[in-house]
PDB file of all heavy atoms in Angstrom:
ATOM      1  N   GLY A  22     -23.136  10.809  -7.665  1.00 61.00           N
ATOM      2  CA  GLY A  22     -21.815  11.331  -8.009  1.00 61.00           C
ATOM      3  C   GLY A  22     -21.097  11.881  -6.797  1.00 61.00           C
ATOM      4  O   GLY A  22     -19.879  11.707  -6.655  1.00 61.00           O
ATOM      5  N   TYR A  23     -21.804  12.542  -5.915  1.00 59.00           N
ATOM      6  CA  TYR A  23     -21.193  13.072  -4.693  1.00 59.00           C
ATOM      7  C   TYR A  23     -20.705  11.950  -3.790  1.00 59.00           C
ATOM      8  O   TYR A  23     -19.603  12.024  -3.224  1.00 59.00           O
ATOM      9  CB  TYR A  23     -22.212  13.944  -3.949  1.00 59.00           C
ATOM     10  CG  TYR A  23     -21.677  14.567  -2.677  1.00 59.00           C
ATOM     11  CD1 TYR A  23     -20.884  15.704  -2.719  1.00 59.00           C
ATOM     12  CD2 TYR A  23     -21.969  14.000  -1.437  1.00 59.00           C
ATOM     13  CE1 TYR A  23     -20.392  16.272  -1.560  1.00 59.00           C
ATOM     14  CE2 TYR A  23     -21.486  14.554  -0.271  1.00 59.00           C
ATOM     15  CZ  TYR A  23     -20.700  15.700  -0.334  1.00 59.00           C
ATOM     16  OH  TYR A  23     -20.209  16.256   0.823  1.00 59.00           O
ATOM     17  N   LEU A  35     -10.358   6.122   5.503  1.00 89.00           N
ATOM     18  CA  LEU A  35     -10.580   6.123   6.949  1.00 89.00           C
ATOM     19  C   LEU A  35     -10.534   4.700   7.502  1.00 89.00           C
ATOM     20  O   LEU A  35      -9.973   4.464   8.590  1.00 89.00           O
ATOM     21  CB  LEU A  35     -11.928   6.775   7.262  1.00 89.00           C
ATOM     22  CG  LEU A  35     -12.243   7.004   8.746  1.00 89.00           C
ATOM     23  CD1 LEU A  35     -11.248   7.990   9.343  1.00 89.00           C
ATOM     24  CD2 LEU A  35     -13.664   7.516   8.914  1.00 89.00           C
ATOM     25  N   SER A  86      30.406 -10.935  15.395  1.00 62.00           N
ATOM     26  CA  SER A  86      31.264 -10.841  14.206  1.00 62.00           C
ATOM     27  C   SER A  86      30.651 -11.515  12.997  1.00 62.00           C
ATOM     28  O   SER A  86      31.124 -11.321  11.868  1.00 62.00           O
ATOM     29  CB  SER A  86      32.632 -11.477  14.506  1.00 62.00           C
ATOM     30  OG  SER A  86      32.470 -12.840  14.877  1.00 62.00           O
ATOM     31  N   PHE A  99      13.468  -2.491   3.493  1.00 92.00           N
ATOM     32  CA  PHE A  99      14.005  -2.378   4.849  1.00 92.00           C
ATOM     33  C   PHE A  99      14.652  -1.016   5.065  1.00 92.00           C
ATOM     34  O   PHE A  99      14.599  -0.474   6.176  1.00 92.00           O
ATOM     35  CB  PHE A  99      15.003  -3.506   5.104  1.00 92.00           C
ATOM     36  CG  PHE A  99      14.474  -4.863   4.767  1.00 92.00           C
ATOM     37  CD1 PHE A  99      15.061  -5.636   3.782  1.00 92.00           C
ATOM     38  CD2 PHE A  99      13.356  -5.363   5.410  1.00 92.00           C
ATOM     39  CE1 PHE A  99      14.569  -6.886   3.460  1.00 92.00           C
ATOM     40  CE2 PHE A  99      12.840  -6.614   5.100  1.00 92.00           C
ATOM     41  CZ  PHE A  99      13.453  -7.375   4.112  1.00 92.00           C
ATOM     42  N   ALA A 150     -11.822   0.368  -4.906  1.00 85.00           N
ATOM     43  CA  ALA A 150     -11.883  -1.094  -4.914  1.00 85.00           C
ATOM     44  C   ALA A 150     -10.542  -1.700  -4.529  1.00 85.00           C
ATOM     45  O   ALA A 150     -10.487  -2.750  -3.885  1.00 85.00           O
ATOM     46  CB  ALA A 150     -12.312  -1.586  -6.291  1.00 85.00           C
ATOM     47  N   LEU A 153     -10.459  -1.534  -0.738  1.00 85.00           N
ATOM     48  CA  LEU A 153     -11.482  -2.292  -0.029  1.00 85.00           C
ATOM     49  C   LEU A 153     -11.504  -3.773  -0.380  1.00 85.00           C
ATOM     50  O   LEU A 153     -12.265  -4.521   0.239  1.00 85.00           O
ATOM     51  CB  LEU A 153     -12.865  -1.693  -0.326  1.00 85.00           C
ATOM     52  CG  LEU A 153     -13.071  -0.254   0.145  1.00 85.00           C
ATOM     53  CD1 LEU A 153     -14.433   0.264  -0.283  1.00 85.00           C
ATOM     54  CD2 LEU A 153     -12.908  -0.149   1.661  1.00 85.00           C
ATOM     55  N   LEU A 158      -7.206  -5.501   2.579  1.00 84.00           N
ATOM     56  CA  LEU A 158      -7.617  -5.433   3.980  1.00 84.00           C
ATOM     57  C   LEU A 158      -6.927  -6.484   4.828  1.00 84.00           C
ATOM     58  O   LEU A 158      -6.671  -6.269   6.023  1.00 84.00           O
ATOM     59  CB  LEU A 158      -9.133  -5.605   4.082  1.00 84.00           C
ATOM     60  CG  LEU A 158      -9.981  -4.493   3.457  1.00 84.00           C
ATOM     61  CD1 LEU A 158     -11.460  -4.826   3.554  1.00 84.00           C
ATOM     62  CD2 LEU A 158      -9.688  -3.149   4.115  1.00 84.00           C
ATOM     63  N   PRO A 166       7.619  -6.565   1.833  1.00 91.00           N
ATOM     64  CA  PRO A 166       8.205  -5.856   0.688  1.00 91.00           C
ATOM     65  C   PRO A 166       7.286  -5.804  -0.523  1.00 91.00           C
ATOM     66  O   PRO A 166       7.318  -4.842  -1.294  1.00 91.00           O
ATOM     67  CB  PRO A 166       9.482  -6.669   0.393  1.00 91.00           C
ATOM     68  CG  PRO A 166       9.810  -7.355   1.670  1.00 91.00           C
ATOM     69  CD  PRO A 166       8.493  -7.652   2.328  1.00 91.00           C
ATOM     70  N   MET A 181       4.713   4.845 -17.824  1.00 91.00           N
ATOM     71  CA  MET A 181       4.850   4.173 -19.108  1.00 91.00           C
ATOM     72  C   MET A 181       3.637   4.447 -19.989  1.00 91.00           C
ATOM     73  O   MET A 181       3.768   4.670 -21.203  1.00 91.00           O
ATOM     74  CB  MET A 181       5.026   2.672 -18.910  1.00 91.00           C
ATOM     75  CG  MET A 181       5.328   1.938 -20.211  1.00 91.00           C
ATOM     76  SD  MET A 181       5.384   0.147 -20.065  1.00 91.00           S
ATOM     77  CE  MET A 181       3.651  -0.218 -19.820  1.00 91.00           C
ATOM     78  N   LEU A 185       3.516   6.184 -23.605  1.00 84.00           N
ATOM     79  CA  LEU A 185       2.921   5.572 -24.789  1.00 84.00           C
ATOM     80  C   LEU A 185       1.827   6.440 -25.396  1.00 84.00           C
ATOM     81  O   LEU A 185       1.600   6.404 -26.614  1.00 84.00           O
ATOM     82  CB  LEU A 185       2.350   4.194 -24.439  1.00 84.00           C
ATOM     83  CG  LEU A 185       3.365   3.120 -24.028  1.00 84.00           C
ATOM     84  CD1 LEU A 185       2.653   1.842 -23.622  1.00 84.00           C
ATOM     85  CD2 LEU A 185       4.349   2.837 -25.160  1.00 84.00           C
ATOM     86  N   GLY A 191       9.079  14.883 -27.360  1.00 73.00           N
ATOM     87  CA  GLY A 191       9.868  15.928 -26.739  1.00 73.00           C
ATOM     88  C   GLY A 191      10.481  15.486 -25.429  1.00 73.00           C
ATOM     89  O   GLY A 191      10.544  14.304 -25.092  1.00 73.00           O
ATOM     90  N   ALA A 208      11.037  -0.846  -7.753  1.00 93.00           N
ATOM     91  CA  ALA A 208      10.183  -2.018  -7.530  1.00 93.00           C
ATOM     92  C   ALA A 208      11.018  -3.294  -7.474  1.00 93.00           C
ATOM     93  O   ALA A 208      10.820  -4.141  -6.591  1.00 93.00           O
ATOM     94  CB  ALA A 208       9.136  -2.113  -8.640  1.00 93.00           C
ATOM     95  N   GLY A 227       4.210  -8.450 -28.352  1.00 76.00           N
ATOM     96  CA  GLY A 227       3.831  -9.423 -29.373  1.00 76.00           C
ATOM     97  C   GLY A 227       2.461  -9.151 -29.957  1.00 76.00           C
ATOM     98  O   GLY A 227       2.210  -9.419 -31.139  1.00 76.00           O
ATOM     99  N   ASN A 229       0.987  -5.984 -29.807  1.00 76.00           N
ATOM    100  CA  ASN A 229       0.964  -4.608 -30.314  1.00 76.00           C
ATOM    101  C   ASN A 229       2.400  -4.171 -30.561  1.00 76.00           C
ATOM    102  O   ASN A 229       3.089  -3.716 -29.658  1.00 76.00           O
ATOM    103  CB  ASN A 229       0.276  -3.689 -29.299  1.00 76.00           C
ATOM    104  CG  ASN A 229       0.080  -2.284 -29.838  1.00 76.00           C
ATOM    105  OD1 ASN A 229       0.437  -1.975 -30.964  1.00 76.00           O
ATOM    106  ND2 ASN A 229      -0.511  -1.430 -29.011  1.00 76.00           N
ATOM    107  N   CYS A 240      13.942  -0.378 -21.532  1.00 88.00           N
ATOM    108  CA  CYS A 240      14.315   0.439 -20.368  1.00 88.00           C
ATOM    109  C   CYS A 240      13.960  -0.274 -19.064  1.00 88.00           C
ATOM    110  O   CYS A 240      14.723  -0.224 -18.089  1.00 88.00           O
ATOM    111  CB  CYS A 240      13.628   1.797 -20.446  1.00 88.00           C
ATOM    112  SG  CYS A 240      14.244   2.866 -21.762  1.00 88.00           S
ATOM    113  N   TYR A 273      15.504 -25.011  -4.755  1.00 62.00           N
ATOM    114  CA  TYR A 273      14.387 -25.351  -3.869  1.00 62.00           C
ATOM    115  C   TYR A 273      13.074 -24.788  -4.396  1.00 62.00           C
ATOM    116  O   TYR A 273      12.039 -25.464  -4.397  1.00 62.00           O
ATOM    117  CB  TYR A 273      14.672 -24.826  -2.463  1.00 62.00           C
ATOM    118  CG  TYR A 273      13.489 -24.947  -1.537  1.00 62.00           C
ATOM    119  CD1 TYR A 273      13.101 -26.170  -1.007  1.00 62.00           C
ATOM    120  CD2 TYR A 273      12.740 -23.824  -1.201  1.00 62.00           C
ATOM    121  CE1 TYR A 273      12.007 -26.278  -0.165  1.00 62.00           C
ATOM    122  CE2 TYR A 273      11.653 -23.926  -0.354  1.00 62.00           C
ATOM    123  CZ  TYR A 273      11.294 -25.151   0.158  1.00 62.00           C
ATOM    124  OH  TYR A 273      10.215 -25.242   0.982  1.00 62.00           O
ATOM    125  N   ARG A 286      19.785 -19.798   7.342  1.00 44.00           N
ATOM    126  CA  ARG A 286      19.087 -19.347   6.150  1.00 44.00           C
ATOM    127  C   ARG A 286      17.707 -19.980   6.016  1.00 44.00           C
ATOM    128  O   ARG A 286      17.031 -19.761   5.022  1.00 44.00           O
ATOM    129  CB  ARG A 286      19.885 -19.698   4.889  1.00 44.00           C
ATOM    130  CG  ARG A 286      21.300 -19.177   4.879  1.00 44.00           C
ATOM    131  CD  ARG A 286      21.300 -17.645   4.954  1.00 44.00           C
ATOM    132  NE  ARG A 286      22.512 -17.093   4.442  1.00 44.00           N
ATOM    133  CZ  ARG A 286      23.645 -17.035   5.114  1.00 44.00           C
ATOM    134  NH1 ARG A 286      23.699 -17.530   6.331  1.00 44.00           N
ATOM    135  NH2 ARG A 286      24.709 -16.484   4.577  1.00 44.00           N
ATOM    136  N   HIS A 293       2.386 -22.661   3.841  1.00 43.00           N
ATOM    137  CA  HIS A 293       2.328 -22.811   2.395  1.00 43.00           C
ATOM    138  C   HIS A 293       3.272 -23.889   1.878  1.00 43.00           C
ATOM    139  O   HIS A 293       2.850 -24.810   1.187  1.00 43.00           O
ATOM    140  CB  HIS A 293       2.666 -21.478   1.711  1.00 43.00           C
ATOM    141  CG  HIS A 293       1.590 -20.462   1.846  1.00 43.00           C
ATOM    142  ND1 HIS A 293       0.462 -20.450   1.063  1.00 43.00           N
ATOM    143  CD2 HIS A 293       1.463 -19.404   2.681  1.00 43.00           C
ATOM    144  CE1 HIS A 293      -0.311 -19.443   1.404  1.00 43.00           C
ATOM    145  NE2 HIS A 293       0.263 -18.802   2.380  1.00 43.00           N
ATOM    146  N   GLU A 295       5.240 -25.990   3.570  1.00 47.00           N
ATOM    147  CA  GLU A 295       5.502 -27.194   4.352  1.00 47.00           C
ATOM    148  C   GLU A 295       4.989 -28.453   3.652  1.00 47.00           C
ATOM    149  O   GLU A 295       5.551 -29.539   3.802  1.00 47.00           O
ATOM    150  CB  GLU A 295       4.859 -27.091   5.746  1.00 47.00           C
ATOM    151  CG  GLU A 295       5.560 -26.107   6.673  1.00 47.00           C
ATOM    152  CD  GLU A 295       5.103 -24.689   6.455  1.00 47.00           C
ATOM    153  OE1 GLU A 295       4.431 -24.435   5.430  1.00 47.00           O
ATOM    154  OE2 GLU A 295       5.416 -23.831   7.287  1.00 47.00           O
ATOM    155  N   SER A 306       3.245 -36.154 -12.045  1.00 51.00           N
ATOM    156  CA  SER A 306       2.429 -35.031 -12.525  1.00 51.00           C
ATOM    157  C   SER A 306       1.693 -34.358 -11.375  1.00 51.00           C
ATOM    158  O   SER A 306       1.508 -33.136 -11.374  1.00 51.00           O
ATOM    159  CB  SER A 306       1.434 -35.527 -13.572  1.00 51.00           C
ATOM    160  OG  SER A 306       0.606 -36.544 -13.039  1.00 51.00           O
ATOM    161  N   ALA A 312       3.347 -28.276  -6.707  1.00 54.00           N
ATOM    162  CA  ALA A 312       4.448 -27.333  -6.589  1.00 54.00           C
ATOM    163  C   ALA A 312       4.208 -26.101  -7.439  1.00 54.00           C
ATOM    164  O   ALA A 312       4.492 -24.972  -7.025  1.00 54.00           O
ATOM    165  CB  ALA A 312       5.761 -28.008  -6.994  1.00 54.00           C
ATOM    166  N   ILE A 314       1.283 -24.764  -8.414  1.00 50.00           N
ATOM    167  CA  ILE A 314       0.217 -23.932  -7.867  1.00 50.00           C
ATOM    168  C   ILE A 314       0.709 -23.132  -6.666  1.00 50.00           C
ATOM    169  O   ILE A 314       0.509 -21.914  -6.561  1.00 50.00           O
ATOM    170  CB  ILE A 314      -1.002 -24.796  -7.473  1.00 50.00           C
ATOM    171  CG1 ILE A 314      -1.655 -25.373  -8.727  1.00 50.00           C
ATOM    172  CG2 ILE A 314      -2.004 -23.988  -6.668  1.00 50.00           C
ATOM    173  CD1 ILE A 314      -2.211 -24.337  -9.671  1.00 50.00           C
ATOM    174  N   SER A 323       0.709 -10.868  -5.573  1.00 44.00           N
ATOM    175  CA  SER A 323       0.575  -9.414  -5.577  1.00 44.00           C
ATOM    176  C   SER A 323       0.575  -8.866  -6.989  1.00 44.00           C
ATOM    177  O   SER A 323      -0.221  -7.986  -7.344  1.00 44.00           O
ATOM    178  CB  SER A 323       1.720  -8.795  -4.773  1.00 44.00           C
ATOM    179  OG  SER A 323       1.705  -9.259  -3.454  1.00 44.00           O
ATOM    180  N   ARG A 338     -10.333  -1.341 -24.001  1.00 62.00           N
ATOM    181  CA  ARG A 338      -9.899  -0.429 -25.061  1.00 62.00           C
ATOM    182  C   ARG A 338     -10.123  -1.043 -26.440  1.00 62.00           C
ATOM    183  O   ARG A 338     -10.601  -0.386 -27.362  1.00 62.00           O
ATOM    184  CB  ARG A 338      -8.429  -0.073 -24.871  1.00 62.00           C
ATOM    185  CG  ARG A 338      -8.155   0.853 -23.694  1.00 62.00           C
ATOM    186  CD  ARG A 338      -6.735   1.375 -23.757  1.00 62.00           C
ATOM    187  NE  ARG A 338      -6.569   2.196 -24.938  1.00 62.00           N
ATOM    188  CZ  ARG A 338      -5.383   2.614 -25.393  1.00 62.00           C
ATOM    189  NH1 ARG A 338      -4.278   2.218 -24.772  1.00 62.00           N
ATOM    190  NH2 ARG A 338      -5.288   3.374 -26.450  1.00 62.00           N
TER     191      ARG A 338
END
Side-chain angles (χ1 to χ4, degrees):
Y23 181 80
L35 187 64
S86 59
F99 309 118
L153 297 176
L158 294 177
M181 186 186 71
L185 294 176
N229 187 1
C240 291
Y273 171 75
R286 305 299 203 280
H293 288 280
E295 288 84 347
S306 58
I314 292 297
S323 301
R338 288 192 64 192

